[in-house]
Amino acid sequence: MSTDVIRFSEPDISEDEVEAAAAVLRSGWITTGEECAQLEAELAEYVGIEHVVAVSSCTAALEIAVAHLGLPRGARIGVPTWTFVSTAMAAYHRGLEPVLLDIDPVTLNLSETSLAAALDGEPGLDAVVAVHFAGVAVPKSIHDLCHVAGVPLIEDAAHAMGTRDHRGLIGGRDTAGCCFSFYATKNLTSAEGGALATDDPELADFARSFRLHGLSKDAWNRYRPDAKTLSYDVLGDGLKANLPDVLAAVARVQLRRFDELQARRRKIVDAYRSALADVPGVRLVPGEADPDSADHLMVVVLPEGTDRGAVQASLQAQGIGTSVHFRPLHTFGWFAEQGVGPGPGGTPVADELADRALSLPLHPRLSEGDVARVVDSLRSEVSSPS
Ligand SMILES: Cc1ncc(COP(=O)(O)O)c(C=O)c1O
């Protein structure tokens, strides 16, 4: 048996990214500046949206989008329970009360039924964050429900660079902001980083100020030789969440390579889908291949009663990394202690799947042979559980 390690995730960094970062390091300007501005323009063009503001993480982008809503403390924001902690934490930091919603059993995306019940509840919701889970867009019906209720919808697109929906490539059109992540495991990475994309010039201006302490002028504008004014004001209680040029340069190269990297991901997902088709009792997420997906994760639902921890440990012993997306937020003690819990109707689907979802290795550096090895190991785990 091969003992090569198959990592759950691995950034595809070429010499071009290395050279781009090195060039910035040698340039005399290493924090937010021209590279960042170029990245913003290129991303805006790629996703087809008017404004992109680069920030230090998707978490920061989410917090900025939530802050921009200007809701009072204690306002209720619907968040799927099936997400990374930061989706709810960003709202919590701005004094909002996350209301944890259930998921659709096929896509593990936000459930329409759960959202509708929470919007109709007493009290209802004041805002919603939808996560495009694993690179598959939430359906138009989620947008429609929010629109009819007059409730702003923020997009957590940490998994969704390159995802398409009824609007085209996802990028914040007609929503209260679209938040991307460039974290190391993402399909476009700068190690750490993120961006807020929007068609709202006012939100874009707010984000430019909020990412740098709420200052009226950013450092680039203050220090550049042709700066018109060296003074600045404080406009709000912002974050320190700008993206340095060293990282922006890496992201720019990743964006140039993005279509090629995504094509490779699609090949791997196709290979997984055909190899997993005859693994007994294992269900793929989503059930059918979605041509508009960004193929961010390869999630399977294990047969009921499987000891997922034992499967993960056994695969790890064979040199195969896996992950879990996600542990539902309402199962974390801290959220419960803060009174953050499920909305009306509870979270029966998330509860049923909580111990069964497993994310298999997925990144552009995997070979078809790696995929076969992962699937063979999984097959033997589920057919003869330890
Ligand atoms: C759904 C989701 N939202 C938000 C984030 C946070 O992204 P970042 O690490 O860029 O803050 C992640 C990170 O993995 C995520 O998976």
Side-chain angles (χ1 to χ4, degrees):
M1 192 204 310
S2 164
T3 50
D4 288 350
V5 170
I6 301 177
R7 292 201 185 121
F8 164 69
S9 174
E10 192 175 315
D12 192 317
I13 300 294
S14 71
E15 280 309 303
D16 289 352
E17 281 88 339
V18 174
E19 275 170 29
V24 172
L25 287 169
R26 293 191 187 102
S27 73
W29 186 277
I30 57 177
T31 188
T32 307
E34 194 54 45
E35 285 289 332
C36 189
Q38 293 287 343
L39 171 67
E40 292 174 339
E42 288 160 7
L43 275 171
E45 191 183 341
Y46 186 84
V47 300
I49 198 75
E50 286 80 349
H51 312 279
V52 169
V53 181
V55 288
S56 56
S57 67
C58 179
T59 307
L62 286 164
E63 187 162 340
I64 291 169
V66 171
H68 183 250
L69 298 176
L71 292 169
R73 288 192 81 75
R76 288 160 59 83
I77 184 159
V79 175
T81 194
W82 200 273
T83 186
F84 186 55
V85 290
S86 64
T87 315
M89 200 71 92
Y92 188 86
H93 280 161
R94 302 313 300 174
L96 271 56
E97 183 191 324
V99 177
L100 303 178
L101 304 176
D102 206 9
I103 48 164
D104 177 274
V106 175
T107 58
L108 313 190
N109 259 333
L110 180 58
S111 146
E112 282 168 56
T113 324
S114 180
L115 174 61
L119 287 167
D120 287 349
E122 192 51 60
L125 298 176
D126 301 295
V128 172
V129 186
V131 178
H132 302 295
F133 177 72
V136 171
V138 297
K140 181 170 178 294
S141 54
I142 296 287
H143 295 254
D144 293 345
L145 280 169
C146 292
H147 184 72
V148 168
V151 161
L153 172 65
I154 293 170
E155 298 175 80
D156 180 334
H159 299 180
M161 175 62 74
T163 297
R164 288 181 182 277
D165 70 3
H166 59 285
R167 300 162 297 168
L169 273 179
I170 281 176
R173 185 154 315 281
D174 302 327
T175 62
C178 176
C179 307
F180 292 114
S181 173
F182 307 147
Y183 178 61
T185 57
K186 301 300 187 266
N187 58 352
L188 188 162
T189 185
S190 53
E192 299 284 350
L196 180 74
T198 179
D199 55 4
D200 175 359
E202 210 268 316
L203 170 57
D205 280 350
F206 179 87
R208 282 182 210 291
S209 162
F210 208 89
R211 71 176 166 184
L212 210 63
H213 314 288
L215 302 187
S216 56
K217 291 252 175 295
D218 62 36
W220 173 239
N221 283 329
R222 280 189 286 132
Y223 293 124
R224 57 193 296 163
D226 59 345
K228 298 212 169 34
T229 170
L230 299 177
S231 68
Y232 58 89
D233 204 354
V234 177
L235 307 176
D237 58 336
L239 304 170
K240 176 69 165 73
N242 52 309
L243 185 74
D245 270 11
V246 184
L247 301 185
V250 173
R252 288 185 69 197
V253 179
Q254 287 266 294
L255 182 59
R256 283 204 287 282
R257 299 179 56 221
F258 187 68
D259 288 346
E260 164 209 324
L261 294 172
Q262 285 299 102
R264 181 72 204 135
R265 256 176 200 274
R266 175 58 55 88
K267 275 210 159 69
I268 294 157
V269 167
D270 288 347
Y272 265 129
R273 283 191 168 273
S274 57
L276 286 163
D278 66 348
V279 177
V282 166
R283 171 160 84 73
L284 277 62
V285 176
E288 301 292 322
D290 180 341
D292 292 331
S293 170
D295 298 318
H296 184 64
L297 295 173
M298 185 69 241
V299 178
V300 295
V301 176
L302 300 173
E304 206 173 346
T306 308
D307 180 345
R308 180 181 60 191
V311 173
Q312 284 195 279
S314 172
L315 291 179
Q316 191 176 22
Q318 297 168 59
I320 299 171
T322 58
S323 190
V324 169
H325 297 87
F326 285 104
R327 175 173 164 185
L329 298 186
H330 66 275
T331 67
F332 287 103
W334 185 84
F335 282 111
E337 279 163 29
Q338 312 314 309
V340 174
T347 52
V349 178
D351 292 334
E352 210 250 293
L353 300 178
D355 297 325
R356 293 171 58 195
L358 182 69
S359 303
L360 303 178
L362 178 57
H363 55 82
R365 293 192 162 178
L366 287 180
S367 67
E368 273 76 357
D370 292 333
V371 170
R373 200 177 122 203
V374 172
V375 174
D376 283 349
S377 298
L378 184 68
R379 183 183 286 110
S380 65
E381 285 305 314
V382 295
S383 30
S384 51
S386 41

